[in-house]
């Protein structure tokens, strides 16, 4: 079978070299972003501490006592705690995308690619991902409404998907949608 100029592999989708490299590139991108955020926050905390230590800023001089004189704190500890809290939320945010990549890999290892003749975007605003319908064959056979979401932290829609795509997984359940030849994998779920 051919789909948009590419042979559809007959084995499990993850055995295709293009698919495997696209999945690895997405995982590498998410890990690099997470590493960058980690370096940024650790660097900000170290810079803040050093600037306070050398007297450039005087955050540790601002002190207060708690209720009834118990407990004491300084502004340096408060700012450091806020930096740590923001980093914790960023970490959770990227762990969600790493888990999505793990789900995508499991689906790709278990199912072969199947060609999709057309992917049509459905004009709806209230969705986490991009609402779509898939046309499987040459007939006017469309799937029910589904939602696609990539591993990037925003809604994305490659326009080339409208001319044809590859799908791995169950048409009534979760699956993976990608451009033919091993494009960026997107998770697809029924709505």
């Amino acid at each position: 079978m051919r789909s948009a100029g590419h042979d559809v592999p007959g084995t499990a989708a993850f055995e295709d070299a293009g698919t495997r490299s696209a999945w690895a590139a997405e995982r590498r991108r998410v890990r690099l972003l997470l590493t960058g955020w980690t370096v940024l926050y650790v660097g900000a905390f170290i810079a803040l501490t050093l600037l306070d230590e050398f007297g450039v800023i005087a955050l540790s001089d601002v002190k207060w006592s708690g209720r009834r004189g118990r407990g004491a704190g300084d502004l340096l500890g408060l700012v450091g705690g806020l930096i740590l809290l923001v980093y914790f939320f960023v970490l959770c945010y990227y762990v969600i995308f790493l888990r999505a990549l793990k789900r995508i890999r499991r689906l790709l290892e278990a199912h072969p690619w199947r060609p999709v003749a057309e992917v049509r975007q459905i004009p709806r605003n209230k969705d986490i991902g991009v609402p779509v319908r898939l046309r499987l064959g040459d007939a006017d056979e469309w799937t029910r409404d589904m939602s696609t979401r990539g591993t990037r932290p925003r809604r994305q829609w490659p326009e080339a998907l409208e001319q044809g795509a590859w799908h791995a997984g169950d048409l009534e359940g979760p699956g993976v949608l990608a451009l033919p030849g091993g494009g960026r994998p997107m998770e697809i779920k029924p709505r």
Side-chain angles (χ1 to χ4, degrees), residues 60-168:
S60 61
D61 293 341
V62 179
K63 296 191 183 292
W64 64 87
S65 61
R67 293 176 55 178
R68 298 184 191 148
R70 288 189 229 150
D74 60 12
L75 194 55
L76 180 64
L78 178 67
V79 172
L82 286 175
I83 288 174
L84 186 63
L85 184 67
V86 169
Y87 173 70
F88 175 73
F89 284 117
V90 168
L91 178 68
C92 290
Y93 192 63
Y94 280 98
V95 165
I96 290 170
F97 295 113
L98 287 172
R99 291 184 67 197
L101 278 168
K102 192 174 187 179
R103 284 192 306 269
I104 287 172
R105 181 177 178 154
R106 273 193 244 127
L107 284 165
L108 291 173
E109 288 174 340
H111 299 282
W113 284 121
R114 78 170 56 100
V116 174
E118 184 181 351
V119 181
R120 184 176 294 164
Q121 216 175 341
I122 303 169
R124 292 200 182 124
N125 294 336
K126 303 263 180 172
D127 202 335
I128 292 174
V130 179
V132 295
R133 280 194 178 167
L134 308 176
R135 185 167 62 96
L136 299 177
D138 293 331
D140 269 347
E141 235 181 278
W142 293 88
T143 62
R144 64 184 181 156
D145 292 357
M146 306 192 71
S147 178
T148 63
R149 192 166 92 170
T151 56
R152 295 179 185 242
R154 61 186 181 278
R155 289 175 63 156
Q156 62 180 358
W157 181 252
E159 296 294 327
L161 280 175
E162 294 176 2
Q163 280 76 42
W166 285 355
H167 178 270

Side-chain angles (χ1 to χ4, degrees), residues 21-42:
S21 66
W23 181 86
E26 278 297 301
R27 185 180 70 174
R28 187 172 36 257
R29 188 196 64 75
V30 170
R31 284 183 170 181
L32 282 174
L33 283 173
L34 182 58
T35 303
W37 280 108
T38 302
V39 167
L40 177 74
Y41 283 111
V42 168

